[in-house]
Amino acid sequence: MKAHILIADDQPEILDMLTRSLQADGRTVQAFPSGARALGYLQKHAVDMAILDLDFGPDEPDGLEILRQMRQEAPDLPVIILTGKGTVETAVAALRLGAADFIEKDFYIEDRLELSLEKLDRMLSVLRENARLRAEVDDLDRENRFYRAEFGKRYQVISVSPQMQQIMQQAERIASIPRPVLILGERGTGKELVAAAVHYGGVRKDRPFVKVNCAALSATLLESELFGHEKGAFTGAVEARPGRFEAANGGTLFLDEIASTTPEFQQNILRAIEYQEVQRVGAAAPVPVDVRIIAATNADLEREMAEGRFREDLYDRLRFEIIRIPPLRQRREDIQPLAEFFAEQILQEVPGLVRRPFSNAATKRLLAYGWPGNVRDLKFAVERAACMATGPTIKPDDLPPEIASGASEPSDEGFEAQTSAFELGLLRQALHAAAWNQRQAAAQLKLSYDQFRHRYRKYDLDREKP
């Protein structure tokens, strides 16, 4: 396949001569009278190599500056520099910036260029073969990662952040192990969705997945709800009723907000986990059950145990596997895909609702907000905005006032921690969008490559690279 070549030279006769000469050999040529216009073309189109004049005249960036910017756009692009007044210093500077060759404009320019292009054509063949092999490796890698990615998607755990991808891998790894799981995270982070992923990803997926919000019931009602009761066990117990443990037999029981239970009641849960049996209220004998327990809380269990509100022995039983879900403010790259998912979801639920994309300004407000209620908070804001918007896009004014104004709820984290979390989220989002091409990610964030690399090393992002 013949090369696609980009040429930039401010001398029309040189530009015309080189274009005709290169096209005669069947190459495709795009010619421009300035380096800036050539750079603009490169930003939108793929080319195989570029030929740049060194001097484009007054008020125009020179060839070395255009070369530097081209290296940011396309690090592997072969570039030849042309000059009518070449010096050793200039040639060295061009080669240091990554130029493949440096050719003087004289009577032999066509011959010299042809020799240089022959070498570059051979190099281009090697680059294309390397690209083909890399694509094959990437395809194999995607196949290996496919199941892990789909594992989260099946349970609507919408995420691109490395933290949530790791959590989904953790959930997949323990899904079929018949031991308790403890899920920790702030309110609204998606603890129930992760619990569902653990259940439905394992061997119990065809058995019941029973959920109980421990904070919604008093201790007395919770005991009857979980363990069941016999007829006449208390006033109003007109018939025997099995509890949630029995309903979940063979499957999974999800105990949400378990830290809201009393230490006395926690003893009953501990016994049920240890002996796999429950005793209905008012019954004389226990009932055997086969139940996998997944518990969740937004409380600080270390503090709860230190203050005597949570049993250490129950914690020891539950912590066979601990899944910690980070708040949304620490994984801001998940905000945009979640918002788009919720906007699409509300369209399916509300007849006649018009699909509207988020404006750039609205997206910036979503990314900047602190989300004290995490994913649940975001879902409410997106649904409200989708229903309130009347223009072609969702604008900041369509969002709830506290988000539209750019205000944010106070956080228990300090200024430095919040700033770092926001910066890290932007870096991860840009890297994901650029398929981990650091130069493209830097360009998206309007950072120089050196500025980007400083932050990349600061957060040790190499360890998160897929």
Side-chain angles (χ1 to χ4, degrees):
M1 185 173 67
K2 290 294 184 178
H4 181 186
I5 299 179
L6 179 64
I7 305 178
D9 196 299
D10 65 335
Q11 294 179 269
E13 63 278 9
I14 296 289
L15 198 62
D16 183 59
M17 181 265 291
L18 292 178
T19 299
R20 284 187 286 102
S21 175
L22 294 172
Q23 286 177 335
D25 289 329
R27 301 181 179 98
T28 301
V29 178
Q30 296 292 334
F32 296 95
S34 75
R37 288 180 60 182
L39 180 62
Y41 181 87
L42 178 64
Q43 289 169 341
K44 297 179 182 178
H45 303 86
V47 300
D48 294 314
M49 60 185 70
I51 301 171
L52 296 177
D53 191 11
L54 180 65
D55 183 10
F56 289 101
D59 303 322
E60 287 283 342
D62 64 18
L64 295 184
E65 174 60 23
I66 297 299
L67 170 61
R68 187 185 65 78
Q69 294 185 49
M70 282 187 170
R71 304 305 292 173
Q72 292 183 355
E73 292 292 330
D76 297 327
L77 180 69
V79 179
I80 298 174
I81 295 291
L82 304 178
T83 178
K85 46 182 179 181
T87 64
V88 173
E89 292 79 6
T90 306
V92 169
L95 294 174
R96 282 179 176 171
L97 283 172
D101 208 346
F102 187 87
I103 297 175
E104 288 188 58
K105 294 180 182 177
D106 57 20
F107 290 112
Y108 306 102
I109 183 173
E110 286 188 79
D111 294 336
R112 291 180 179 177
L113 183 60
E114 191 58 40
L115 286 173
S116 182
L117 287 174
E118 285 178 8
K119 291 187 293 184
L120 290 178
D121 275 337
R122 290 193 293 272
M123 183 171 69
L124 186 61
S125 297
V126 173
L127 289 173
R128 284 173 176 159
E129 180 63 14
N130 287 344
R132 185 187 67 79
L133 292 173
R134 278 199 302 268
E136 288 184 7
V137 171
D138 289 343
D139 287 342
L140 289 172
D141 189 42
R142 275 193 295 272
E143 288 176 11
N144 291 334
R145 296 198 306 260
F146 176 77
Y147 181 74
R148 290 198 293 271
E150 287 301 304
F151 184 82
K153 290 179 184 177
R154 281 205 299 271
Y155 314 111
Q156 296 188 338
V157 181
I158 308 301
S159 173
V160 297
S161 67
Q163 302 104 305
M164 289 305 296
Q165 296 301 320
Q166 290 170 9
I167 285 172
M168 284 297 100
Q169 291 173 27
Q170 184 182 6
E172 179 188 0
R173 189 175 64 251
I174 63 171
S176 294
I177 300 174
R179 292 293 181 271
V181 177
L182 180 59
I183 303 176
L184 305 177
E186 294 181 5
R187 61 186 174 94
T189 49
K191 296 186 288 293
E192 184 178 323
L193 283 177
V194 173
V198 172
H199 170 75
Y200 290 109
V203 295
R204 295 174 181 253
K205 62 184 178 182
D206 296 324
R207 305 298 295 167
F209 177 57
V210 178
K211 299 170 282 186
V212 179
N213 184 347
C214 299
L217 300 169
S218 66
T220 303
L221 287 175
L222 186 59
E223 185 175 15
S224 173
E225 188 71 22
L226 282 180
F227 303 117
H229 60 259
E230 294 294 329
K231 181 179 179 180
F234 51 83
T235 303
V238 296
E239 62 180 1
R241 183 160 94 65
R244 298 295 183 92
F245 265 95
E246 291 180 68
N249 195 27
T252 301
L253 179 62
F254 175 55
L255 300 176
D256 198 9
E257 299 308 333
I258 195 170
S260 65
T261 59
T262 64
E264 295 75 25
F265 185 76
Q266 292 162 19
Q267 172 63 41
N268 295 332
I269 297 175
L270 177 62
R271 180 179 177 82
I273 295 173
E274 286 186 334
Y275 298 105
Q276 285 289 286
E277 63 180 28
V278 296
Q279 191 157 349
R280 294 182 184 180
V281 178
V287 177
V289 290
D290 172 21
V291 175
R292 198 251 186 101
I293 297 294
I294 301 179
T297 182
N298 60 26
D300 181 347
L301 289 185
E302 297 288 342
R303 185 173 64 187
E304 295 294 303
M305 287 187 289
E307 297 177 0
R309 290 191 294 269
F310 198 83
R311 295 180 65 99
E312 293 185 21
D313 49 3
L314 177 57
Y315 176 76
D316 288 339
R317 291 295 293 174
L318 292 174
R319 69 184 181 97
F320 179 86
E321 186 76 10
I322 297 178
I323 297 176
R324 301 180 187 275
I325 306 179
L328 196 54
R329 64 181 174 275
Q330 292 179 7
R331 48 186 178 98
R332 293 183 183 272
E333 62 270 45
D334 285 339
I335 292 174
Q336 191 168 350
L338 279 167
E340 291 170 355
F341 172 76
F342 292 139
E344 190 65 30
Q345 203 174 43
I346 194 68
L347 286 173
Q348 311 303 319
E349 298 175 16
V350 181
L353 200 61
V354 177
R355 179 180 281 100
R356 293 179 175 88
F358 288 91
S359 67
N360 289 336
T363 299
K364 288 179 181 177
R365 293 286 196 279
L366 294 177
L367 292 172
Y369 189 60
W371 301 111
N374 293 290
V375 179
R376 187 183 299 127
D377 206 359
L378 175 63
K379 184 174 188 288
F380 163 77
V382 169
E383 289 180 346
R384 179 186 183 277
C387 293
M388 297 293 292
T390 56
T393 62
I394 295 175
K395 303 185 297 298
D397 290 347
D398 300 319
L399 298 166
E402 67 274 14
I403 303 170
S405 66
S408 182
E409 293 288 330
S411 169
D412 56 0
E413 297 177 311
F415 176 80
E416 292 295 335
Q418 293 182 67
T419 303
S420 294
F422 183 69
E423 184 176 57
L424 180 57
L426 291 176
L427 293 170
R428 285 174 174 152
Q429 186 176 23
L431 282 165
H432 179 80
W436 283 82
N437 183 305
Q438 294 180 40
R439 291 188 182 277
Q440 291 181 18
Q444 287 180 35
L445 295 172
K446 304 296 190 292
L447 294 172
S448 72
Y449 184 63
D450 287 343
Q451 290 172 326
F452 182 88
R453 284 291 299 170
H454 170 72
R455 289 165 173 81
Y456 186 91
R457 288 190 292 267
K458 173 183 174 183
Y459 295 107
D460 193 17
L461 285 167
D462 244 351
R463 59 185 171 82
E464 297 183 6
K465 189 173 180 180

